[in-house]
């Protein structure tokens, strides 16, 4: 087993926030190119870049107005060609974001589609007549504001569907011409040498063909996320989503060695269907369940066992702890647990996806109300749903603007308050920093088959401790994680011959005897077994 997307580590770059190269306060492609050396040194294998295509930026690039070009904010097609080549020179794979569920309302396809009822592209989008009372065709809701997902188009007297903003009309994957056009987008980028795609809300791409109402959510209360008023039975994960997955897979199979990673927010037993009946679906349906599981040893162990238990034969697992839609892991579990979380992510069986800045233990940023950018926060302020906090600029140095953009520029989101201490340069020179810890961990994972491809087995552990074995052939490693702020004593589960602590989140080794390991608060370790 040696696919790069199985043993490798994926690193997500939110391009607006990684490195600005031209002083406009927004990160760009030449900025990413400049930092490839950093990524190589960190030790990751692939970068996934959130959308960089032309876009009116109603949803910061997830509203695409041209799938086969580059937004001038991020650079030019020549910059992209150079970045692909440079990434490959650095032995890094490059994954782009494919947004197939919707386009921008400024995409030429949509402009045509809305121009008249008999336009040839009318059916490329989802147009419906009003309900008998003149209102929206059904009760489907839009993400972000939780209002109707149907927008009235007065000139043609029909509604169009938008699962997100009204500026993001949903396309109709049941239309063969739309489908062919979208699949050609994949070919365009594969031909350029792109190694794979992360597929935005892939599981929403097919809606119920009968447009049935979603059932009401009996647990919804005033003050909760308004979108949750209904249960999403007919707007995502419909039975025919397997066709969609297969259409994409057939295209990626025209090329060697590419990967498809689906953005799918589902519990393990539903998620795994996206691998396809004979593994002919997505290579990696993203597994976000660690994000939604309480940070508590029993719950995490149960999740791992459940997921391992439902994975189809031959399907490759994957794990995620953060992305541009989730509060940062260090803010969610607390700074003291950030290293334990990284150790877990990088030692579970399967492909890990890291989020930029998490290797520094970066926290959510504070966004003053007048600097809010995210449409989600603007639509439903104060519910804590806004995503700006996890999208703040990468801190590279302790200079003003942290080396993200020139001191005189204005970054598109404010730098984190702690950027003068939590930054790459200062952590690079501190042997006990989170960055150096993460580099050592990645290095160990790279050189240890048990960790990058071995089997998984839970080990007994006291309350608050998560312990598991990874094994490849005769090579065995034990991972023991103290998910609490109290010291813990772990009795070695077998007359084991645990020989050495290979890595700890602390700066000194823990006490290890033939029978017991003493874990300090918030400590995680990797043990070698003879
Ligand atoms: C996905 C993206 C998110 C975006 C949404 C609509 O969930 O990760 O950032 O807002 O899709 O495209």
């Amino acid at each position: 087993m040696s696919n790069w997307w199985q043993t490798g580590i994926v690193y997500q770059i939110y391009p607006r926030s990684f490195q600005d190269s031209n002083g406009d306060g927004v990160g760009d492609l030449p900025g990413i190119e400049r930092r490839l050396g950093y990524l190589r040194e960190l030790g990751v294998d692939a970068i996934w870049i959130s959308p960089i295509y032309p876009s009116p930026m109603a949803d910061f690039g997830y509203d695409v107005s041209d799938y086969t070009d580059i937004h001038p904010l991020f650079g030019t097609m020549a910059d992209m060609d150079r970045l692909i080549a440079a990434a490959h020179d650095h032995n890094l794979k490059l994954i782009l974001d494919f947004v197939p569920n919707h386009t921008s309302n400024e995409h030429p396809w949509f402009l045509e589609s809305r121009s008249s009822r008999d336009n040839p592209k009318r059916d490329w989008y989802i147009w419906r007549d009003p309900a008998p009372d003149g209102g929206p065709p059904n009760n489907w809701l839009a993400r972000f504001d939780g209002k109707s997902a149907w927008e009235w188009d007065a000139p043609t007297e029909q509604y169009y569907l938008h699962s997100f903003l009204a500026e993001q009309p949903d396309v109709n994957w049941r239309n063969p011409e739309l489908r062919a056009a979208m699949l050609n987008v994949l070919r365009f980028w594969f031909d350029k040498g792109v190694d794979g795609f992360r597929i935005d809300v892939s599981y929403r791409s097919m809606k119920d063909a009968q447009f049935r109402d979603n059932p009401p959510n009996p647990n919804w209360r005033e003050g909760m996320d308004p979108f949750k008023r209904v249960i999403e039975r007919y707007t995502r994960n419909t039975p025919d989503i397997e066709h969609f997955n297969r259409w994409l897979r057939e295209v990626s199979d025209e090329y060697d060695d590419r990967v498809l990673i689906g953005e799918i927010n589902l519990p393990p037993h539903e998620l795994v269907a996206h691998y396809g009946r004979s593994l002919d679906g997505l290579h990696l349906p993203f597994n976000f369940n660690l994000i939604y599981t309480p940070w508590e040893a029993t719950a995490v162990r149960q999740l791992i066992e459940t997921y391992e238990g439902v994975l189809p034969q031959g399907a490759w697992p994957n794990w995620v702890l953060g992305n541009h839609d989730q509060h940062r892991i260090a803010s969610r579990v607390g700074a003291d647990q950030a290293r334990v979380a990284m150790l877990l992510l990088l030692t579970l069986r399967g492909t890990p996806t890291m989020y930029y800045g998490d290797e520094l233990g970066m926290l959510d940023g504070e966004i003053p109300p007048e600097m809010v950018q995210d449409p989600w926060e603007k639509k439903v302020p104060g519910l804590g749903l806004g995503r700006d906090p996890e999208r703040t600029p990468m801190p590279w140095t302790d200079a003003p603007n942290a080396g993200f953009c020139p001191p005189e520029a204005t970054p598109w989101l404010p730098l984190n308050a702690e950027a003068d201490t939590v930054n790459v340069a200062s952590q690079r020179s501190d042997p006990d920093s989170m960055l150096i810890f993460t580099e050592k961990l990645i290095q160990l994972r790279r050189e240890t088959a048990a960790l990058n491809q071995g089997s998984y087995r839970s080990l007994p552990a006291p309350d608050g401790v998560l312990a598991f074995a990874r094994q490849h052939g005769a090579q065995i490693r034990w991972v023991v994680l103290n998910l609490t702020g109290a010291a813990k004593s772990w009795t070695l589960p077998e007359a084991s011959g645990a020989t050495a602590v290979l890595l700890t989140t602390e700066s000194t080794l823990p006490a290890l005897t033939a029978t017991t390991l003493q874990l300090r608060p918030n400590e995680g370790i990797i043990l070698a077994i003879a």
Side-chain angles (χ1 to χ4, degrees), residues 59 62 102 144 164 198 200-201 263 324-325 387 391:
D59 189 18
Y62 285 97
H102 43 267
F144 304 146
F164 293 87
R198 175 267 192 187
D200 192 60
V201 291
E263 190 206 9
H324 63 294
D325 298 324
R387 301 164 297 178
R391 297 174 176 182

Side-chain angles (χ1 to χ4, degrees), residues 12 14 48 50-51 58-63 97-102 143-144 163-165 168 198-204 263 265 288 323-325 374-376 387 391:
Q12 181 190 355
Y14 195 67
W48 147 36
S50 290
D59 189 18
F60 292 103
Y62 285 97
D63 48 323
D97 215 309
F98 180 48
V99 188
N101 179 70
H102 43 267
R143 200 69 189 105
F144 304 146
S163 297
F164 293 87
L165 299 171
Q168 294 166 294
R198 175 267 192 187
I199 304 146
D200 192 60
V201 291
S202 65
Y203 72 142
R204 291 188 182 280
E263 190 206 9
N265 251 306
F288 294 131
N323 59 40
H324 63 294
D325 298 324
D374 185 17
W376 203 338
R387 301 164 297 178
R391 297 174 176 182

Side-chain angles (χ1 to χ4, degrees), residues 95-326:
I95 298 170
L96 290 183
D97 215 309
F98 180 48
V99 188
N101 179 70
H102 43 267
T103 68
S104 162
N105 61 340
E106 293 183 23
H107 195 294
W109 297 344
F110 186 69
L111 297 180
E112 278 192 54
S113 182
R114 84 183 308 175
S115 66
S116 78
R117 284 202 191 197
D118 51 15
N119 182 277
K121 290 198 174 61
R122 183 66 168 182
D123 187 48
W124 284 34
Y125 292 80
I126 301 177
W127 293 96
R128 306 291 288 172
D129 290 331
D133 68 357
N138 66 20
N139 75 349
W140 294 357
L141 300 180
R143 200 69 189 105
F144 304 146
D145 66 5
K147 298 188 178 144
S148 174
W150 296 97
E151 181 80 2
W152 179 243
D153 183 60
T156 58
E157 296 190 319
Q158 278 190 316
Y159 284 93
Y160 70 84
L161 180 69
H162 58 93
S163 297
F164 293 87
L165 299 171
E167 291 86 352
Q168 294 166 294
D170 284 33
V171 301
N172 177 16
W173 272 85
R174 297 181 198 279
N175 178 298
E177 287 164 19
L178 172 281
R179 202 152 75 218
M182 278 288 193
L183 295 177
N184 277 336
V185 170
L186 297 181
R187 293 190 183 94
F188 174 87
W189 291 108
F190 280 145
D191 287 339
K192 281 191 174 285
V194 162
D195 300 286
F197 288 93
R198 175 267 192 187
I199 304 146
D200 192 60
V201 291
S202 65
Y203 72 142
R204 291 188 182 280
S205 301
M206 306 289 282
K207 346 277 164 188
D208 181 43
Q210 298 169 54
F211 293 88
R212 281 170 282 189
D213 275 350
N214 276 322
N217 175 1
N219 299 320
W220 188 84
R221 300 282 173 274
E222 209 53 58
M224 288 167 68
D225 179 352
F227 181 71
K228 300 269 168 78
R229 276 183 290 145
V230 295
I231 294 170
E232 284 206 272
R233 182 168 303 157
Y234 296 118
T235 36
R236 60 178 211 184
N237 207 34
T238 56
D240 44 9
I241 192 67
E242 65 177 317
H243 301 300
F244 171 85
N245 291 341
R246 226 177 302 120
W247 293 328
L248 270 55
R249 177 61 176 269
E250 280 163 14
V251 173
S252 84
D253 282 349
E254 294 168 11
Y255 298 80
D256 289 337
D257 228 17
R258 312 297 160 109
V259 71
L260 297 176
I261 309 175
E263 190 206 9
I264 300 166
N265 251 306
L266 292 174
H269 64 283
E270 291 181 290
L271 175 64
V272 296
H274 292 258
Y275 287 102
R277 283 168 204 256
S278 39
L279 302 188
D280 52 355
L282 305 178
H283 300 94
L284 299 175
F286 255 148
N287 169 17
F288 294 131
N289 289 287
L290 262 184
I291 296 175
Y292 304 118
T293 300
W295 194 247
E296 191 276 309
T298 311
V300 174
R301 179 181 304 114
Q302 240 162 41
L303 164 66
I304 301 167
E305 290 173 358
T306 303
Y307 180 61
E308 286 278 348
V310 295
L311 273 173
Q313 185 77 29
W316 187 247
N318 77 89
W319 296 94
V320 181
L321 271 178
N323 59 40
H324 63 294
D325 298 324
Q326 303 292 335

Side-chain angles (χ1 to χ4, degrees), residues 459-475:
L459 295 173
D463 273 1
V465 177
L466 175 67
F468 53 88
R470 302 289 315 279
Q471 178 162 7
H472 181 75
Q475 187 182 59

